[in-house]
């Protein structure tokens, strides 16, 4: 698909982590990050909510459970459409507010700076594996502290999020935070 090809730039020294091998390393790191983040966030219930929602106006994602709610500031990386076999970056989607596509812009800018034009294309043909690859690279590049695949009616929205505020039925609150170093 071309994601692991670097554009040739004459008379320029390769930048660390930019060649195909470096991109492969970033992919492995991103996949590992997603696994670690999923395990860590399962402690408060990620993946077991009754429902979820994203409020673009205030930039928050909310998960609702029988005994609590969890909220976090969110960013949209992109969306994958299984029926259309395509991935669209959030920055290229008119239905997503620009404030919620900043992580996607970070990936686009990183790709442009490192000669990976395919990562900066507005929309690409993508099966489930390619969508996972794009999400994993994005999580690694942005050093996200939370990742969620939001299943919708026609697409799956790839979302990053920050510290999670948990509010129990009795009104007590706590915060779940992950630091990436």
């Amino acid at each position: 698909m071309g994601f692991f090809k670097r554009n040739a730039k004459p008379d320029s020294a390769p930048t660390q982590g930019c060649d195909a091998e470096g991109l492969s390393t970033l992919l492995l790191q991103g996949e590992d990050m997603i696994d670690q983040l999923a395990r860590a966030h399962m402690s408060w219930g990620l993946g077991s909510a009754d429902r979820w929602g994203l409020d673009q106006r205030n930039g928050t994602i909310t998960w609702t459970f029988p005994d609590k709610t969890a909220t976090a500031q969110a960013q949209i990386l992109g969306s994958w459409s299984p029926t259309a076999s395509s991935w669209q970056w959030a920055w290229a989607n008119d239905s997503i507010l620009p404030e919620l596509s900043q992580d996607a812009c970070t990936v686009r800018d990183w790709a442009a700076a490192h000669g990976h034009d395919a990562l900066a294309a507005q929309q690409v043909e993508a099966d489930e594996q390619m969508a996972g690859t794009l999400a994993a690279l994005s999580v690694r590049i942005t050093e996200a502290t939370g990742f969620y695949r939001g299943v919708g009616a026609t697409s799956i929205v790839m979302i990053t999020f920050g510290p999670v505020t948990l509010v129990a039925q009795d009104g007590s609150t706590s915060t779940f935070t992950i630091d990436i170093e």
Side-chain angles (χ1 to χ4, degrees):
M1 174 134 264
F3 284 100
F4 295 97
K5 285 186 175 178
R6 178 169 165 72
N7 288 340
K9 291 189 178 182
D11 302 323
S12 66
T15 306
Q16 185 177 2
C18 296
D19 58 7
E21 184 177 321
L23 195 59
S24 294
T25 299
L26 286 178
L27 173 59
L28 291 173
Q29 291 171 343
E31 290 170 341
D32 186 52
M33 285 177 71
I34 287 174
D35 288 342
Q36 289 182 38
L37 291 170
R39 283 193 302 275
H41 284 287
M42 283 173 57
S43 67
W44 58 261
L46 183 66
S48 64
D50 292 340
R51 65 181 186 275
W52 72 279
L54 183 68
D55 184 337
Q56 285 199 57
R57 287 171 286 134
N58 63 21
T60 57
I61 186 168
T62 301
W63 296 272
T64 305
F65 302 86
D67 61 339
K68 66 185 174 218
T69 59
T71 58
Q73 288 300 121
Q75 286 284 302
I76 301 172
L77 296 172
S79 57
W80 173 59
S81 170
T83 55
S85 296
S86 66
W87 168 279
Q88 183 177 26
W89 290 101
W91 54 264
N93 188 332
D94 292 338
S95 68
I96 297 173
L97 295 176
E99 297 81 19
L100 264 69
S101 66
Q102 292 175 6
D103 277 3
C105 288
T106 297
V107 175
R108 179 196 61 204
D109 296 346
W110 179 91
H114 291 86
H116 296 293
D117 296 337
L119 282 173
Q122 292 181 8
Q123 187 168 328
V124 295
E125 186 176 318
D127 59 11
E128 185 173 7
Q129 182 177 354
M130 180 55 69
T133 294
L134 295 170
L137 287 168
S138 298
V139 165
R140 172 59 182 90
I141 290 165
T142 63
E143 297 182 342
T145 60
F147 175 73
Y148 186 69
R149 290 175 185 89
V151 179
T154 60
S155 64
I156 297 173
V157 182
M158 307 297 185
I159 300 166
T160 56
F161 60 89
V164 179
T165 301
L166 303 162
V167 180
Q169 280 182 331
D170 67 5
S172 62
T173 64
S174 61
T175 303
F176 183 89
T177 304
I178 294 178
D179 293 316
I180 302 290
E181 294 184 26

